[in-house]
PDB file of all heavy atoms in Angstrom:
ATOM      1  N   SER E 910      10.832 -16.828  11.598  1.00 59.00           N
ATOM      2  CA  SER E 910      11.672 -16.507  12.745  1.00 59.00           C
ATOM      3  C   SER E 910      10.827 -16.516  14.016  1.00 59.00           C
ATOM      4  O   SER E 910       9.574 -16.566  13.924  1.00 59.00           O
ATOM      5  CB  SER E 910      12.317 -15.141  12.614  1.00 59.00           C
ATOM      6  OG  SER E 910      11.360 -14.139  12.748  1.00 59.00           O
ATOM      7  N   ASN E 911      11.446 -16.590  15.226  1.00 69.00           N
ATOM      8  CA  ASN E 911      10.705 -16.549  16.416  1.00 69.00           C
ATOM      9  C   ASN E 911      10.546 -15.165  16.929  1.00 69.00           C
ATOM     10  O   ASN E 911      10.112 -15.006  18.094  1.00 69.00           O
ATOM     11  CB  ASN E 911      11.419 -17.445  17.415  1.00 69.00           C
ATOM     12  CG  ASN E 911      11.375 -18.930  16.965  1.00 69.00           C
ATOM     13  OD1 ASN E 911      10.403 -19.354  16.400  1.00 69.00           O
ATOM     14  ND2 ASN E 911      12.399 -19.736  17.369  1.00 69.00           N
ATOM     15  N   ARG E 912      10.964 -14.215  16.183  1.00 73.00           N
ATOM     16  CA  ARG E 912      10.832 -12.792  16.660  1.00 73.00           C
ATOM     17  C   ARG E 912       9.425 -12.304  16.535  1.00 73.00           C
ATOM     18  O   ARG E 912       8.734 -12.596  15.600  1.00 73.00           O
ATOM     19  CB  ARG E 912      11.752 -11.822  15.789  1.00 73.00           C
ATOM     20  CG  ARG E 912      13.193 -12.122  15.937  1.00 73.00           C
ATOM     21  CD  ARG E 912      14.041 -11.128  15.229  1.00 73.00           C
ATOM     22  NE  ARG E 912      13.521 -10.899  13.845  1.00 73.00           N
ATOM     23  CZ  ARG E 912      13.602  -9.739  13.254  1.00 73.00           C
ATOM     24  NH1 ARG E 912      14.172  -8.699  13.871  1.00 73.00           N
ATOM     25  NH2 ARG E 912      13.144  -9.578  12.012  1.00 73.00           N
ATOM     26  N   SER E 913       8.968 -11.602  17.545  1.00 77.00           N
ATOM     27  CA  SER E 913       7.670 -10.985  17.559  1.00 77.00           C
ATOM     28  C   SER E 913       7.751  -9.733  18.384  1.00 77.00           C
ATOM     29  O   SER E 913       8.652  -9.515  19.207  1.00 77.00           O
ATOM     30  CB  SER E 913       6.570 -11.947  18.025  1.00 77.00           C
ATOM     31  OG  SER E 913       6.811 -12.181  19.377  1.00 77.00           O
ATOM     32  N   VAL E 914       6.751  -8.859  18.223  1.00 78.00           N
ATOM     33  CA  VAL E 914       6.642  -7.639  19.022  1.00 78.00           C
ATOM     34  C   VAL E 914       5.262  -7.620  19.646  1.00 78.00           C
ATOM     35  O   VAL E 914       4.269  -7.986  19.045  1.00 78.00           O
ATOM     36  CB  VAL E 914       6.992  -6.402  18.155  1.00 78.00           C
ATOM     37  CG1 VAL E 914       5.964  -6.273  17.066  1.00 78.00           C
ATOM     38  CG2 VAL E 914       6.991  -5.175  19.016  1.00 78.00           C
ATOM     39  N   ASN E 915       5.198  -7.190  20.883  1.00 77.00           N
ATOM     40  CA  ASN E 915       3.922  -7.063  21.621  1.00 77.00           C
ATOM     41  C   ASN E 915       3.285  -5.705  21.277  1.00 77.00           C
ATOM     42  O   ASN E 915       4.000  -4.701  21.378  1.00 77.00           O
ATOM     43  CB  ASN E 915       4.116  -7.250  23.109  1.00 77.00           C
ATOM     44  CG  ASN E 915       2.792  -7.361  23.841  1.00 77.00           C
ATOM     45  OD1 ASN E 915       2.064  -6.382  23.883  1.00 77.00           O
ATOM     46  ND2 ASN E 915       2.450  -8.516  24.337  1.00 77.00           N
ATOM     47  N   LEU E 916       2.030  -5.658  20.963  1.00 75.00           N
ATOM     48  CA  LEU E 916       1.416  -4.454  20.612  1.00 75.00           C
ATOM     49  C   LEU E 916       1.357  -3.409  21.623  1.00 75.00           C
ATOM     50  O   LEU E 916       1.432  -2.246  21.443  1.00 75.00           O
ATOM     51  CB  LEU E 916      -0.093  -4.799  20.180  1.00 75.00           C
ATOM     52  CG  LEU E 916      -0.929  -3.694  19.609  1.00 75.00           C
ATOM     53  CD1 LEU E 916      -0.354  -3.143  18.399  1.00 75.00           C
ATOM     54  CD2 LEU E 916      -2.325  -4.211  19.378  1.00 75.00           C
ATOM     55  N   MET E 917       1.357  -3.819  22.927  1.00 72.00           N
ATOM     56  CA  MET E 917       1.218  -2.896  24.010  1.00 72.00           C
ATOM     57  C   MET E 917       2.582  -2.655  24.802  1.00 72.00           C
ATOM     58  O   MET E 917       2.602  -1.964  25.770  1.00 72.00           O
ATOM     59  CB  MET E 917       0.212  -3.428  25.045  1.00 72.00           C
ATOM     60  CG  MET E 917      -1.181  -3.661  24.457  1.00 72.00           C
ATOM     61  SD  MET E 917      -1.873  -2.152  23.706  1.00 72.00           S
ATOM     62  CE  MET E 917      -2.355  -1.250  25.114  1.00 72.00           C
ATOM     63  N   ASP E 918       3.713  -3.191  24.290  1.00 66.00           N
ATOM     64  CA  ASP E 918       4.978  -3.038  24.947  1.00 66.00           C
ATOM     65  C   ASP E 918       5.534  -1.621  24.928  1.00 66.00           C
ATOM     66  O   ASP E 918       6.310  -1.260  25.716  1.00 66.00           O
ATOM     67  CB  ASP E 918       6.067  -3.941  24.352  1.00 66.00           C
ATOM     68  CG  ASP E 918       5.955  -5.337  24.982  1.00 66.00           C
ATOM     69  OD1 ASP E 918       5.169  -5.504  25.996  1.00 66.00           O
ATOM     70  OD2 ASP E 918       6.639  -6.241  24.557  1.00 66.00           O
ATOM     71  N   THR E 919       5.199  -0.826  23.941  1.00 59.00           N
ATOM     72  CA  THR E 919       5.750   0.477  23.778  1.00 59.00           C
ATOM     73  C   THR E 919       4.756   1.568  24.113  1.00 59.00           C
ATOM     74  O   THR E 919       3.563   1.380  23.942  1.00 59.00           O
ATOM     75  CB  THR E 919       6.242   0.714  22.347  1.00 59.00           C
ATOM     76  OG1 THR E 919       5.151   0.579  21.490  1.00 59.00           O
ATOM     77  CG2 THR E 919       7.302  -0.340  21.920  1.00 59.00           C
ATOM     78  N   ASN E 920       5.267   2.677  24.633  1.00 59.00           N
ATOM     79  CA  ASN E 920       4.393   3.856  24.871  1.00 59.00           C
ATOM     80  C   ASN E 920       4.142   4.564  23.601  1.00 59.00           C
ATOM     81  O   ASN E 920       3.074   5.213  23.399  1.00 59.00           O
ATOM     82  CB  ASN E 920       5.037   4.775  25.902  1.00 59.00           C
ATOM     83  CG  ASN E 920       5.169   4.151  27.265  1.00 59.00           C
ATOM     84  OD1 ASN E 920       4.385   3.314  27.619  1.00 59.00           O
ATOM     85  ND2 ASN E 920       6.125   4.550  28.055  1.00 59.00           N
ATOM     86  N   ALA E 921       5.099   4.572  22.639  1.00 65.00           N
ATOM     87  CA  ALA E 921       4.948   5.242  21.405  1.00 65.00           C
ATOM     88  C   ALA E 921       4.096   4.357  20.444  1.00 65.00           C
ATOM     89  O   ALA E 921       3.997   3.121  20.767  1.00 65.00           O
ATOM     90  CB  ALA E 921       6.283   5.495  20.795  1.00 65.00           C
ATOM     91  N   PRO E 922       3.654   4.822  19.350  1.00 78.00           N
ATOM     92  CA  PRO E 922       2.972   3.944  18.401  1.00 78.00           C
ATOM     93  C   PRO E 922       3.929   2.893  17.882  1.00 78.00           C
ATOM     94  O   PRO E 922       5.117   3.144  17.830  1.00 78.00           O
ATOM     95  CB  PRO E 922       2.539   4.898  17.298  1.00 78.00           C
ATOM     96  CG  PRO E 922       2.531   6.294  17.875  1.00 78.00           C
ATOM     97  CD  PRO E 922       3.575   6.218  18.934  1.00 78.00           C
ATOM     98  N   LEU E 923       3.404   1.721  17.558  1.00 81.00           N
ATOM     99  CA  LEU E 923       4.231   0.661  17.035  1.00 81.00           C
ATOM    100  C   LEU E 923       4.392   0.961  15.518  1.00 81.00           C
ATOM    101  O   LEU E 923       3.421   1.206  14.820  1.00 81.00           O
ATOM    102  CB  LEU E 923       3.464  -0.672  17.184  1.00 81.00           C
ATOM    103  CG  LEU E 923       4.051  -1.888  16.596  1.00 81.00           C
ATOM    104  CD1 LEU E 923       5.398  -2.233  17.288  1.00 81.00           C
ATOM    105  CD2 LEU E 923       3.124  -3.096  16.735  1.00 81.00           C
ATOM    106  N   VAL E 924       5.642   1.002  15.037  1.00 84.00           N
ATOM    107  CA  VAL E 924       5.929   1.199  13.635  1.00 84.00           C
ATOM    108  C   VAL E 924       6.642  -0.009  13.101  1.00 84.00           C
ATOM    109  O   VAL E 924       7.687  -0.380  13.600  1.00 84.00           O
ATOM    110  CB  VAL E 924       6.753   2.491  13.368  1.00 84.00           C
ATOM    111  CG1 VAL E 924       7.088   2.646  11.962  1.00 84.00           C
ATOM    112  CG2 VAL E 924       5.995   3.737  13.896  1.00 84.00           C
ATOM    113  N   LEU E 925       6.076  -0.597  12.063  1.00 83.00           N
ATOM    114  CA  LEU E 925       6.664  -1.810  11.423  1.00 83.00           C
ATOM    115  C   LEU E 925       7.017  -1.480  10.002  1.00 83.00           C
ATOM    116  O   LEU E 925       6.365  -0.644   9.321  1.00 83.00           O
ATOM    117  CB  LEU E 925       5.667  -2.967  11.478  1.00 83.00           C
ATOM    118  CG  LEU E 925       5.148  -3.379  12.834  1.00 83.00           C
ATOM    119  CD1 LEU E 925       4.043  -4.392  12.699  1.00 83.00           C
ATOM    120  CD2 LEU E 925       6.242  -3.949  13.675  1.00 83.00           C
ATOM    121  N   GLY E 926       8.043  -2.153   9.486  1.00 83.00           N
ATOM    122  CA  GLY E 926       8.446  -2.003   8.100  1.00 83.00           C
ATOM    123  C   GLY E 926       8.164  -3.229   7.256  1.00 83.00           C
ATOM    124  O   GLY E 926       8.361  -4.368   7.728  1.00 83.00           O
ATOM    125  N   PHE E 927       7.716  -3.094   6.047  1.00 79.00           N
ATOM    126  CA  PHE E 927       7.363  -4.157   5.148  1.00 79.00           C
ATOM    127  C   PHE E 927       8.109  -4.051   3.864  1.00 79.00           C
ATOM    128  O   PHE E 927       8.376  -2.919   3.366  1.00 79.00           O
ATOM    129  CB  PHE E 927       5.851  -4.127   4.795  1.00 79.00           C
ATOM    130  CG  PHE E 927       5.031  -4.499   5.969  1.00 79.00           C
ATOM    131  CD1 PHE E 927       4.719  -3.615   7.011  1.00 79.00           C
ATOM    132  CD2 PHE E 927       4.453  -5.803   6.020  1.00 79.00           C
ATOM    133  CE1 PHE E 927       3.910  -3.963   8.011  1.00 79.00           C
ATOM    134  CE2 PHE E 927       3.609  -6.084   7.092  1.00 79.00           C
ATOM    135  CZ  PHE E 927       3.353  -5.157   8.131  1.00 79.00           C
ATOM    136  N   ARG E 928       8.472  -5.233   3.253  1.00 78.00           N
ATOM    137  CA  ARG E 928       8.959  -5.197   1.877  1.00 78.00           C
ATOM    138  C   ARG E 928       7.893  -4.828   0.882  1.00 78.00           C
ATOM    139  O   ARG E 928       6.703  -4.893   1.256  1.00 78.00           O
ATOM    140  CB  ARG E 928       9.509  -6.578   1.515  1.00 78.00           C
ATOM    141  CG  ARG E 928      10.856  -6.866   2.025  1.00 78.00           C
ATOM    142  CD  ARG E 928      11.383  -8.185   1.393  1.00 78.00           C
ATOM    143  NE  ARG E 928      12.675  -8.481   1.972  1.00 78.00           N
ATOM    144  CZ  ARG E 928      12.826  -9.520   2.714  1.00 78.00           C
ATOM    145  NH1 ARG E 928      11.868 -10.405   2.960  1.00 78.00           N
ATOM    146  NH2 ARG E 928      14.033  -9.761   3.238  1.00 78.00           N
ATOM    147  N   LYS E 929       8.281  -4.585  -0.328  1.00 73.00           N
ATOM    148  CA  LYS E 929       7.288  -4.194  -1.329  1.00 73.00           C
ATOM    149  C   LYS E 929       6.145  -5.216  -1.563  1.00 73.00           C
ATOM    150  O   LYS E 929       5.057  -4.786  -1.727  1.00 73.00           O
ATOM    151  CB  LYS E 929       8.028  -3.861  -2.641  1.00 73.00           C
ATOM    152  CG  LYS E 929       7.221  -3.183  -3.650  1.00 73.00           C
ATOM    153  CD  LYS E 929       8.045  -2.837  -4.861  1.00 73.00           C
ATOM    154  CE  LYS E 929       7.919  -1.382  -5.186  1.00 73.00           C
ATOM    155  NZ  LYS E 929       8.794  -0.972  -6.283  1.00 73.00           N
ATOM    156  N   SER E 930       6.476  -6.441  -1.611  1.00 69.00           N
ATOM    157  CA  SER E 930       5.491  -7.435  -1.937  1.00 69.00           C
ATOM    158  C   SER E 930       5.279  -8.481  -0.810  1.00 69.00           C
ATOM    159  O   SER E 930       4.997  -9.582  -1.130  1.00 69.00           O
ATOM    160  CB  SER E 930       5.901  -8.172  -3.190  1.00 69.00           C
ATOM    161  OG  SER E 930       7.152  -8.751  -3.060  1.00 69.00           O
ATOM    162  N   SER E 931       5.349  -7.987   0.403  1.00 71.00           N
ATOM    163  CA  SER E 931       5.202  -8.988   1.523  1.00 71.00           C
ATOM    164  C   SER E 931       4.224  -8.460   2.526  1.00 71.00           C
ATOM    165  O   SER E 931       4.191  -7.289   2.837  1.00 71.00           O
ATOM    166  CB  SER E 931       6.524  -9.188   2.215  1.00 71.00           C
ATOM    167  OG  SER E 931       6.390  -9.828   3.420  1.00 71.00           O
ATOM    168  N   SER E 932       3.391  -9.298   3.050  1.00 69.00           N
ATOM    169  CA  SER E 932       2.444  -8.923   4.126  1.00 69.00           C
ATOM    170  C   SER E 932       2.968  -9.254   5.467  1.00 69.00           C
ATOM    171  O   SER E 932       2.289  -9.162   6.478  1.00 69.00           O
ATOM    172  CB  SER E 932       1.087  -9.586   3.885  1.00 69.00           C
ATOM    173  OG  SER E 932       1.229 -10.981   3.959  1.00 69.00           O
ATOM    174  N   VAL E 933       4.248  -9.719   5.565  1.00 74.00           N
ATOM    175  CA  VAL E 933       4.867 -10.032   6.840  1.00 74.00           C
ATOM    176  C   VAL E 933       5.878  -8.922   7.153  1.00 74.00           C
ATOM    177  O   VAL E 933       6.759  -8.583   6.359  1.00 74.00           O
ATOM    178  CB  VAL E 933       5.597 -11.384   6.764  1.00 74.00           C
ATOM    179  CG1 VAL E 933       6.323 -11.700   8.099  1.00 74.00           C
ATOM    180  CG2 VAL E 933       4.603 -12.485   6.471  1.00 74.00           C
ATOM    181  N   PRO E 934       5.733  -8.323   8.314  1.00 78.00           N
ATOM    182  CA  PRO E 934       6.709  -7.203   8.660  1.00 78.00           C
ATOM    183  C   PRO E 934       8.076  -7.748   8.797  1.00 78.00           C
ATOM    184  O   PRO E 934       8.312  -8.876   9.293  1.00 78.00           O
ATOM    185  CB  PRO E 934       6.204  -6.682   9.991  1.00 78.00           C
ATOM    186  CG  PRO E 934       5.341  -7.689  10.548  1.00 78.00           C
ATOM    187  CD  PRO E 934       4.796  -8.528   9.386  1.00 78.00           C
ATOM    188  N   ILE E 935       9.082  -7.052   8.273  1.00 76.00           N
ATOM    189  CA  ILE E 935      10.518  -7.446   8.358  1.00 76.00           C
ATOM    190  C   ILE E 935      11.283  -6.600   9.322  1.00 76.00           C
ATOM    191  O   ILE E 935      12.430  -6.880   9.618  1.00 76.00           O
ATOM    192  CB  ILE E 935      11.180  -7.490   6.919  1.00 76.00           C
ATOM    193  CG1 ILE E 935      11.201  -6.082   6.375  1.00 76.00           C
ATOM    194  CG2 ILE E 935      10.537  -8.500   6.038  1.00 76.00           C
ATOM    195  CD1 ILE E 935      12.083  -5.928   5.169  1.00 76.00           C
ATOM    196  N   TRP E 936      10.712  -5.509   9.788  1.00 78.00           N
ATOM    197  CA  TRP E 936      11.466  -4.579  10.613  1.00 78.00           C
ATOM    198  C   TRP E 936      10.545  -3.960  11.672  1.00 78.00           C
ATOM    199  O   TRP E 936       9.428  -3.630  11.393  1.00 78.00           O
ATOM    200  CB  TRP E 936      12.119  -3.509   9.774  1.00 78.00           C
ATOM    201  CG  TRP E 936      13.245  -2.801  10.438  1.00 78.00           C
ATOM    202  CD1 TRP E 936      13.156  -1.626  11.145  1.00 78.00           C
ATOM    203  CD2 TRP E 936      14.551  -3.249  10.590  1.00 78.00           C
ATOM    204  NE1 TRP E 936      14.410  -1.341  11.645  1.00 78.00           N
ATOM    205  CE2 TRP E 936      15.286  -2.326  11.350  1.00 78.00           C
ATOM    206  CE3 TRP E 936      15.237  -4.409  10.137  1.00 78.00           C
ATOM    207  CZ2 TRP E 936      16.583  -2.453  11.630  1.00 78.00           C
ATOM    208  CZ3 TRP E 936      16.629  -4.549  10.423  1.00 78.00           C
ATOM    209  CH2 TRP E 936      17.254  -3.574  11.178  1.00 78.00           C
TER     210      TRP E 936
END
Side-chain angles (χ1 to χ4, degrees):
S910 72
N911 293 329
R912 295 184 314 144
S913 67
V914 61
N915 189 291
L916 185 61
M917 301 303 283
D918 274 353
T919 61
N920 293 332
L923 175 66
V924 177
L925 303 172
F927 290 79
R928 280 193 185 112
K929 192 175 231 175
S930 59
S931 168
S932 62
V933 177
I935 61 167
W936 199 263

